[in-house]
Amino acid sequence: MTADDRQMVADAILSALREAHRSKKWLAAQSGIAYSTLRRKLDAQVDISVVDLARIAQALDRSPASLLPDLRTGAGER
């Protein structure tokens, strides 16, 4: 995963959090991801695993695909 990819996924998650009026601490508790780890993922410092993406999506009542860049639009191309 490139830094740009990490940033796009993190931005999508942060946007979903804002729409849900929820905090990062809430997401950490709901997803079972340690808050410090989640912060690093949402700061695009480390990759988000498929398992973590699924946990985050479930906590936000979203599909994991909704948190991924749409490669058909050219976003996320390398």
Side-chain angles (χ1 to χ4, degrees), residues 42-62:
L42 297 181
D43 287 342
Q45 295 175 354
V46 296
D47 287 348
I48 298 174
S49 72
V50 172
V51 171
D52 287 343
L53 184 66
R55 289 177 178 163
I56 290 167
Q58 183 174 19
L60 293 169
D61 196 28
R62 301 247 181 154

Side-chain angles (χ1 to χ4, degrees), residues 29-46:
Q30 294 299 310
S31 66
I33 300 169
Y35 177 69
S36 60
T37 301
L38 181 66
R39 249 191 19 233
R40 286 193 306 275
K41 292 175 185 291
L42 297 181
D43 287 342
Q45 295 175 354
V46 296

